[in-house]
Amino acid sequence: MDFDLLVHAAWPAYEQRTHDGWVLRHAGGVTKRANSVLPLGSPADLAGAIAAAETFYAERGLPCVFSVGPRATPGLDGELAARGYQVVDPTVIMAGPVAREPVVHETRVEERPWQGWLETWWAVDGRYGTGLAEAERICTGVSAWYAAVEEDGVPVAVGRGVPQGGTLGVYCMATLPRARRRGLARSVLRALVRQCGGTSAYLVVTARNQGARALYGSEGLAEKGEYHYRMR
């Protein structure tokens, strides 16, 4: 699977500009994934392409960030390091076959994120101040399903599933601290698999999140690659 393109399609920046094979992505500064360069191919002028990217983000008041994944331009990572760009958020790609396993907890699944779903996800992963509206715009930029285990009408564990051909992209997995270690994330994941179908799934998780990596591994997903960001 071409994970660079799968992730790009499942988490779409609403402003995109191409430059010599690279995709410059902007979405109001919310998440590095949607506000970074996807550097595919080999530009004829590497230094010129980097300069174009830096100008693009400077014009929008954002730092220039590169997503360096399996298909990144050869030699780019070293060039960025030499220019003072630091590695940020090393991330593991996990994927594998999935089966329709029992969903232990009652799980609500909808075609669009509702307010409670958004608030729970943002409470866990909202590192970008007042960017919830921008985050919702990113999420709904492509067809997806939204799942949640609720308690007293309040989502306490959530996730987002994006059907992509025969595979499922899993995003926005988040559980409130008070509801952790109860298997709720497992139910959310399984509910998305049941809803979306397909024979395989993939997701990305920060390398430091050992608990999540163990959970996904127990559900049949194995580490298939990695990527990181370079930010100056």
Side-chain angles (χ1 to χ4, degrees), residues 103-227:
V103 179
V104 177
H105 305 87
E106 183 177 353
T107 306
R108 175 180 174 183
V109 182
E110 303 282 355
E111 289 186 90
R112 292 188 63 85
W114 60 100
Q115 188 62 30
W117 187 99
L118 288 165
E119 291 174 354
T120 294
W121 170 51
W122 202 247
V124 176
D125 205 32
R127 294 164 288 174
Y128 305 92
T130 59
L132 181 56
E134 300 287 357
E136 181 180 6
R137 186 176 177 185
I138 296 168
C139 282
T140 57
V142 64
S143 296
W145 291 93
Y146 299 83
V149 175
E150 296 181 316
E151 294 181 347
D152 297 324
V154 177
V156 294
V158 301
R160 172 178 178 262
V162 183
Q164 295 178 279
T167 194
L168 170 68
V170 180
Y171 292 84
C172 302
M173 293 289 289
T175 304
L176 294 178
R178 62 181 172 84
R180 291 174 183 168
R181 302 186 185 279
R182 291 162 46 192
L184 305 187
R186 191 182 302 276
S187 287
V188 168
L189 178 60
R190 291 180 177 183
L192 289 171
V193 169
R194 281 179 170 267
Q195 180 66 51
C196 299
T199 58
S200 66
Y202 77 91
L203 52 80
V204 297
V205 56
T206 55
R208 66 178 180 273
N209 193 342
Q210 296 293 337
R213 291 167 66 179
L215 166 65
Y216 303 139
S218 71
E219 289 293 298
L221 305 185
E223 296 182 9
K224 299 295 185 180
E226 58 185 30
Y227 69 89

Side-chain angles (χ1 to χ4, degrees), residues 37-126:
V37 182
L38 181 62
L40 306 181
S42 298
D45 178 2
L46 181 59
I50 293 173
E54 290 176 339
T55 298
F56 176 84
Y57 290 103
E59 289 174 347
R60 289 154 181 79
L62 296 174
C64 187
V65 181
F66 289 80
S67 177
V68 184
R71 289 186 55 200
T73 300
L76 174 63
D77 200 39
E79 177 64 23
L80 293 175
R83 291 168 176 254
Y85 282 75
Q86 301 297 310
V87 172
V88 180
D89 289 345
T91 300
V92 174
I93 303 164
M94 301 185 70
V98 290
R100 293 171 63 89
E101 299 290 346
V103 179
V104 177
H105 305 87
E106 183 177 353
T107 306
R108 175 180 174 183
V109 182
E110 303 282 355
E111 289 186 90
R112 292 188 63 85
W114 60 100
Q115 188 62 30
W117 187 99
L118 288 165
E119 291 174 354
T120 294
W121 170 51
W122 202 247
V124 176
D125 205 32

